[in-house]
C-alpha cells in the first residue's frame, strides 16, 4: 500500500491495507476508485497518522495534487479509467452492504446516520468503514465550532469495540499473497 494513495485516505472507507474490496470509494469526490493504490488528490488525509500529523502532511500534499480531481500519484494527471461514477458501476458496488452504506455517506438525513448503520453491521469491513469515515466526520465537527454531540456516539462506539477482535473472512481480503489463507487473516489483524 502506498501511504499517499486513495487506499490510505480517510474518505475511502472500503479499503485499508489487505482489508477491503477490489475497488475503493471516495466519499469526498463521490467516485468509485478503480486504481486506489495508484491515485490520490489534494484532499488526501492519511489513515495511518494522528490527526495533527495527517493535517500537516495534507497541507504539503495539496501543493502537489489538485483538490478538484482524483489523479495518479506518479504524474499528477487525471485518467478517466481510474475512477467511475457510472450508474451501472454504482449499482454493482451497492450490492455489497458496506459499500452501499459508504456510497450513501453524506446523502442520507445526516452523516451520522451512515456511521450508525455501519456500526450496526457485523464484520471487519464495516468496522473499518465506520472508523475511517468517522475520523473525517469528527474532524469536520471540531473544525466547524467544536460542538459535536453526535461525535460522542462515535467515541463510545469505538471505545466499546476496542476490546473485540473483528472477525475477518476470506471475502474481506483485498488481496491474498503467496501464503496460506489462515496466515493472511492473522496478518490482517
Amino acid at each position: 500500500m502506498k501511504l499517499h494513495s486513495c487506499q490510505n485516505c480517510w474518505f475511502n472507507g472500503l479499503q485499508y491495507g489487505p482489508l477491503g474490496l477490489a475497488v475503493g470509494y471516495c466519499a469526498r469526490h463521490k467516485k468509485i476508485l478503480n486504481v486506489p493504490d495508484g491515485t490520490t488528490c489534494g484532499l488526501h488525509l492519511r489513515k495511518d497518522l494522528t490527526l495533527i500529523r495527517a493535517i500537516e502532511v495534507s497541507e504539503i500534499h495539496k501543493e502537489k495534487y489538485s483538490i478538484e480531481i482524483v489523479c495518479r500519484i506518479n504524474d499528477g494527471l487525471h485518467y478517466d479509467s481510474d475512477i467511475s461514477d457510472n450508474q451501472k458501476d454504482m449499482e454493482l458496488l451497492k450490492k455489497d452492504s458496506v459499500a452501499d452504506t459508504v456510497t450513501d455517506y453524506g446523502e442520507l438525513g445526516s452523516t451520522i446516520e451512515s456511521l450508525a448503520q455501519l456500526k450496526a453491521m457485523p464484520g471487519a469491513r464495516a468496522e473499518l468503514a465506520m472508523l475511517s469515515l468517522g475520523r473525517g466526520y469528527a474532524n469536520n465537527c471540531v473544525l466547524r465550532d467544536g460542538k459535536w454531540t453526535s461525535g460522542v456516539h462515535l467515541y463510545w462506539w469505538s471505545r466499546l469495540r476496542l476490546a473485540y477482535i473483528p472477525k475477518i473472512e476470506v471475502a474481506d481480503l483485498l488481496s491474498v499473497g503467496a501464503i496460506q489463507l489462515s496466515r493472511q487473516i492473522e496478518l490482517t489483524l
Side-chain angles (χ1 to χ4, degrees), residues 112-161:
I112 195 70
E113 187 175 339
S114 295
L115 296 172
Q117 287 179 8
L118 290 166
K119 180 237 180 226
M121 290 180 191
R125 288 193 308 108
E127 180 98 12
L128 166 72
M130 187 196 78
L131 293 173
S132 185
L133 295 174
R135 283 187 81 175
Y137 176 82
N139 185 52
N140 285 340
C141 292
V142 170
L143 288 175
R144 289 195 177 121
D145 66 5
K147 298 176 183 174
W148 51 291
T149 55
S150 56
V152 174
H153 295 297
L154 285 173
Y155 168 75
W156 284 109
W157 296 339
S158 300
R159 187 169 178 240
L160 292 171
R161 289 175 113 154

Side-chain angles (χ1 to χ4, degrees), residues 38 45 73 83 85 103 112 114 116 119 143 155 162 180 185:
L45 286 161
I73 293 173
I83 59 166
D85 59 2
T103 57
I112 195 70
S114 295
K119 180 237 180 226
L143 288 175
Y155 168 75
L162 286 176
Q180 295 175 332
I185 289 172

Side-chain angles (χ1 to χ4, degrees), residues 96-113:
D96 178 85
S97 60
V98 173
D100 184 36
T101 304
V102 167
T103 57
D104 284 342
Y105 181 75
E107 302 293 323
L108 303 172
S110 68
T111 49
I112 195 70
E113 187 175 339

